Amino acid sequence: MAASRVGSTLSAEAYDRLRAELLRGCFTPGSKLRIGEIADRFSVSPSVLREAMTRLAQDGLLSASPQRGFSVPELTAGLLEDLTRARRIIEAAALRESIADGDLAWESLVLAAHHTLEKTRFTDEGGHITGEWDRAHRAFHAAILAGGRSETLAKVATDLRARSELFVHWSRELVADETRDVPEEHRRIAELSVARDVAGAVEALECHIQRSADVLIASVSSQISA
């Protein structure tokens, strides 16, 4: 039993460490991950690392196949455009329902989640997105969709967000977008949502989703044409 707990702890630690490296863009998109090499670097067994990688694949942060093993997802304009379109459609629908059905407790949840996000440090000394901000960001986006009656719709929206998380982070880690004001985008989404301004809140959310994709799509397109 004790050995099982130790293995679970090591797997969780490997998951967190590899997840952070993936989100920071430490691996080339589409590249195959060498389990033995990474396991040695993390000081864990290959089986422990494989368990962590399986979880990351379930989260959409790794690709898994019998032939190639585990690899970093490809980064293509077509994939980004397709995923972004799906997110805009589903998250907009979920937000409309959340605003229509959400009660006072939901409003309080949105405001509290936004306050936490706003007060959490965005980047560390190395300029990378902090784990604390990452968690607060996920909690905020979950909160704005939590007021709706359909658990299925909210889950689909959350799953799509999870699958796009790698690209969302890459849009900030790998591409400079000095004109973007992310805190202002979140503030507008929160304020318009609790004000029950459906059209305004949905437009703000869709623009927020699209902006993250646009900078990566532009970067990918420029590399192809270069």
Side-chain angles (χ1 to χ4, degrees):
M1 184 68 71
S4 177
R5 285 198 297 270
V6 170
S8 297
T9 300
L10 289 174
S11 178
E13 291 174 351
Y15 171 92
D16 289 339
R17 186 171 174 182
L18 185 54
R19 181 179 185 278
E21 291 191 358
L22 286 164
L23 294 179
R24 288 182 178 182
C26 296
F27 300 95
T28 303
S31 62
K32 181 179 178 180
L33 298 185
R34 302 181 183 279
I35 293 179
E37 181 181 299
I38 298 173
D40 287 344
R41 184 158 58 86
F42 286 7
S43 299
V44 298
S45 69
S47 61
V48 165
L49 183 65
R50 193 173 287 107
E51 181 181 340
M53 286 181 166
T54 299
R55 285 183 58 200
L56 288 163
Q58 292 170 347
D59 292 345
L61 299 181
L62 283 179
S63 298
S65 69
Q67 293 77 25
R68 293 196 65 198
F70 295 96
S71 59
V72 182
E74 296 280 355
L75 177 57
T76 66
L79 173 62
L80 285 167
E81 289 168 353
D82 182 58
L83 184 56
T84 301
R85 180 174 179 274
R87 282 191 60 203
R88 288 183 59 173
I89 292 171
I90 298 300
E91 290 189 46
L95 182 58
R96 288 190 185 96
E97 183 168 285
S98 195
I99 293 173
D101 299 338
D103 55 14
L104 182 58
W106 169 74
E107 290 184 11
S108 299
L109 177 67
V110 171
L111 293 174
H114 176 255
H115 180 74
T116 299
L117 178 62
E118 191 172 46
K119 297 299 181 181
T120 301
R121 186 173 60 164
F122 183 33
T123 57
D124 59 20
E125 291 78 6
H128 300 297
I129 296 171
T130 66
E132 293 79 10
W133 188 90
D134 180 37
R135 287 187 288 274
H137 186 233
R138 278 181 282 154
F140 170 74
H141 278 277
I144 63 173
L145 304 183
R149 288 175 294 176
S150 175
E151 294 182 6
T152 301
L153 182 58
K155 184 180 185 306
V156 172
T158 299
D159 288 347
L160 281 172
R161 273 200 57 76
R163 297 206 166 271
S164 67
E165 190 169 16
L166 192 64
F167 303 130
V168 170
H169 274 256
W170 284 354
S171 73
R172 295 165 191 169
E173 291 277 1
L174 306 180
V175 185
D177 187 3
E178 303 298 340
T179 64
R180 187 175 188 185
D181 189 343
V182 175
E184 173 62 17
E185 292 175 24
H186 289 134
R187 183 190 65 78
R188 280 187 54 77
I189 294 169
E191 290 183 352
L192 291 168
S193 295
V194 297
R196 312 288 174 159
D197 182 344
V198 177
V202 167
E203 180 182 13
L205 177 61
E206 287 187 324
C207 288
H208 178 66
I209 293 170
Q210 190 66 50
R211 184 66 179 268
S212 294
D214 283 346
V215 294
L216 263 187
I217 291 171
S219 175
V220 172
S221 299
S222 66
Q223 291 175 24
I224 293 175
S225 61

